Amino acid sequence: MTGYALQLHEVAKDFGAARVVEDFSLDVADGELIVLVGPSGCGKSTLLRMIAGLEDVSEGAVVIAGQEMNHVPPGRRGIAMVFQNYALYPHMTVAQNMGFALRNERLPASEIERRVDEAADKLKIGQLLSRKPAQLSGGQRQRVAIGRAIVREPDVFLFDEPLSNLDAALRVQTRVEIAKLHADLGNTIIYVTHDQVEAMTLADRIVVMNAGRVEQIGTPEEIYTRPRSRFVAAFIGTPMMNFIDGRVADGRFTSGSGLAVALPPRLSAADGPAVLGIRPEHLRIAGSAAWEPALHGRLQVQEYLGERMLMHVALDHGPEVVATGAVALPQDETVRMTFDHEHLHLFDPQGRALGAVAGTGAC
Amino acid sequence: MAAITLNPPARRGVAVQSRLWTLMTLAVLAVIALAVLFPFVWMILTSFKPEAQIAQFPPRLMPETWTLENYQNVWSRIPFARLLLNSIIMAGGVTIISLLLDSMAAYALSRLRFPGRDVIFVAILVALMLPFQVMFIPLFVIVHDLGMLDSYSGLIVPRATNAFGIFLLRQFFMTLPKELDEAARIDGASEFAIYRKIILPLSGPALATLAIFHFMYNWNDFLWPLLITSSPDMRTLPAGLALFVGQHVVEYGVVMAGATLTLLPLLVAFLFAQRYFIQGIAMSGIKG
């Protein structure tokens, strides 16, 4: 044993001439929950399917529990997968669905029954065992699909956007249940989603992907507070981080239209064209008495969210930004926004983060 | 809303129009149904007429005197029970074997990725367009060379798979979600297990439809059994009834009685399977 449940070594995938996954490497520790997140078409599902063995690997190696699996059929890889549309066998009962893999392994009937009952107990679907999938609700089908994966006791669980067919309330509930299940069973899980909330809440580590490449691998906190690229900064966080184009010279960021911000020491070494990033929650509407630095603009729209308000402000010298406010203000009011230096992000024109970005965890 | 309450005559007009339309549709359908049914009615009634009344002019629909003579003749002059058995063996054998092979080929063509797959499928579509009349002479020669003339294998083997069946099932299999195979593959199912335990059980209506097509076609087939069999004991019902059609004389009464008897098992089978049949045609998007 290597101590790793799953290792991917420079894995790549070509579909014809198009390279959809490029040079992907990742070591997943036993019991870790890794979330692959990215916009649709970024290669995250293809990567999952390569781990499962449903797609061939064009280059590199997939290693599960210390064994290279490139040419091992899916059924012998020690993995189980939960599909987006559940993929339950419509002609089988819930119990038959859950026991199908075990029957293929030719386990004795008593053992199959014991494991199915155990999993059904854990997922509270014992009363559904004799039903067919068509007689189940979406949430119940989801549980059966998870149950079908659990009974196999695999080395690695693969989840392919398992919550995207559920309604909002059920999605939150099921998400929490998956987290509990993970805490309970301690399985290694690779979880694919395009939903950043799922990624942030479930993951031990997040892998942000874009156009077949890894943008960043790190804990949710690292990804959120120290994004290594403009793409990651924009993709994680709602509402999106504000970006202001400009240039850096002599420790000051200036935008073409006259905006000027003094940069903290860790960012002041930069020079030349750059993009300044500030998250909406770090940009606060302030009274006139507040201290520097500040941005000024005119209030366009305000959105009441209960615990806070989102203020859409057109900067005097630049684009529209989103800031956080505590009280409602009159439309078109000129507002002043303050921010902390430590929450400023700076990116070069290619989208790479500038300045002292702390270690983001080895890939 | 207001327009409707203010203008009831217009609504009544629409209702009358739609009822009229329904009546017209029914009338047209009734005419078509009668046209389709008439030959069968004629056949059945003719089978109860004495020979003299069959050829009389002007023709009459109803027999003047009813007789069972034709039915007795069918039983006594040809080995009817043997022909019935042959028909069952041929139509049943072809149906079972062809369903098996058609579905396997359709599985490969819809589920597996291999080089040349699409070329093979196009070749099958081309075979679908070839009329039997083009093929039967080379087919006869092959069957002769294989020494299968006048045998069950000669009747069944050339029909053991069928382009139409492969096409129909492939189209149906394509509608089954691919995730089901993938889930089964991850669950450790072999290729054959996916075919046998996932795809086939989900294809009931399509298989039932095809079974009826195959059974009907082979039960009614006349030319091939007539060509391939020479001894009266190997004939199927339609080919056997040809024994009553002489060069100069056709014994219509006996032929009609035989045809009526031939039709009965099919009618019963169809009544039982009608539900699947219609469902299968609707699902595979193919209209008879």
Side-chain angles (χ1 to χ4, degrees), chain A residues 325-344:
Chain A
V327 289
L329 295 169
Q331 187 77 16
D332 281 335
E333 174 99 340
T334 300
V335 294
R336 196 165 164 279
M337 295 163 286
T338 62
F339 51 88
D340 289 338
H341 274 131
E342 58 180 299
H343 292 130
L344 287 183

Side-chain angles (χ1 to χ4, degrees), chain A residues 24-300:
Chain A
F24 189 101
S25 292
L26 179 72
D27 289 339
V28 181
D30 256 332
E32 208 176 0
L33 198 163
I34 298 283
V35 175
L36 304 177
V37 69
S40 51
C42 72
K44 55 192 191 300
S45 282
T46 306
L47 192 66
L48 197 76
R49 293 168 60 81
M50 284 195 282
I51 298 170
L54 296 173
E55 297 284 352
D56 291 332
V57 175
S58 303
E59 276 172 38
V62 173
V63 178
I64 297 171
Q67 276 187 300
E68 204 209 275
M69 293 288 175
N70 280 22
H71 302 290
V72 177
R76 296 209 210 106
R77 289 191 176 204
I79 49 118
M81 185 156 165
V82 177
F83 290 82
Q84 179 173 357
N85 58 7
Y86 322 129
L88 299 177
Y89 313 121
H91 56 298
M92 297 186 197
T93 63
V94 168
Q96 287 168 335
N97 261 284
M98 288 169 69
F100 185 66
L102 306 181
R103 288 201 300 281
N104 287 328
E105 285 175 38
R106 303 192 186 288
L107 291 185
S110 58
E111 169 72 4
I112 295 177
E113 199 183 324
R114 186 186 66 74
R115 274 159 74 166
V116 168
D117 285 346
E118 214 176 275
D121 250 15
K122 213 167 276 168
L123 294 161
K124 304 186 185 72
I125 49 173
Q127 76 286 4
L128 305 177
L129 284 177
S130 56
R131 293 212 201 151
K132 295 264 178 81
Q135 300 165 294
L136 304 178
S137 70
Q140 290 171 329
R141 284 180 210 184
Q142 183 59 66
R143 282 157 186 270
V144 175
I146 293 173
R148 186 170 66 178
I150 289 179
V151 292
R152 305 191 52 197
E153 300 170 3
D155 294 317
V156 181
F157 278 100
L158 307 175
F159 284 84
D160 190 6
E161 309 221 6
L163 306 185
S164 51
N165 282 1
L166 301 179
D167 64 49
L170 206 52
R171 202 177 306 157
V172 173
Q173 189 192 333
T174 312
R175 195 176 77 207
V176 173
E177 274 170 26
I178 290 176
K180 275 187 202 155
L181 204 66
H182 174 60
D184 190 26
L185 301 174
N187 305 89
T188 309
I189 296 180
I190 311 293
Y191 188 107
V192 163
T193 181
H194 62 266
D195 183 316
Q196 47 153 316
V197 179
E198 279 173 38
M200 294 294 284
T201 52
L202 285 174
D204 292 322
R205 280 192 294 158
I206 295 176
V207 178
V208 184
M209 293 183 69
N210 181 30
R213 292 165 171 279
V214 175
E215 286 280 337
Q216 187 169 359
I217 301 178
T219 63
E221 196 206 345
E222 281 166 357
I223 298 276
Y224 190 77
T225 58
R226 295 192 292 278
R228 280 210 301 209
S229 68
R230 179 174 169 168
F231 176 84
V232 175
F235 190 76
I236 302 288
T238 318
M240 199 170 86
M241 184 185 277
N242 298 300
F243 295 105
I244 302 166
D245 289 325
R247 55 187 304 117
V248 177
D250 304 326
R252 287 178 74 77
F253 173 88
T254 51
S255 79
S257 47
L259 174 81
V261 177
L263 293 172
R266 73 185 162 92
L267 297 177
S268 56
D271 195 46
V275 179
L276 186 73
I278 316 174
R279 291 200 185 277
E281 70 264 34
H282 298 136
L283 196 57
R284 292 176 304 272
I285 305 288
S288 54
W291 29 268
E292 290 289 308
L295 296 174
H296 299 270
R298 201 204 301 244
L299 184 60
Q300 303 286 311

Side-chain angles (χ1 to χ4, degrees), chain B residues 105-112 117 169-171 173-174 178:
Chain B
Y107 178 85
L109 289 170
S110 66
R111 285 321 215 226
L112 305 182
R117 184 184 73 173
L169 289 180
R170 175 191 179 265
Q171 297 314 100
F173 290 172
M174 300 279 266
K178 241 187 158 59

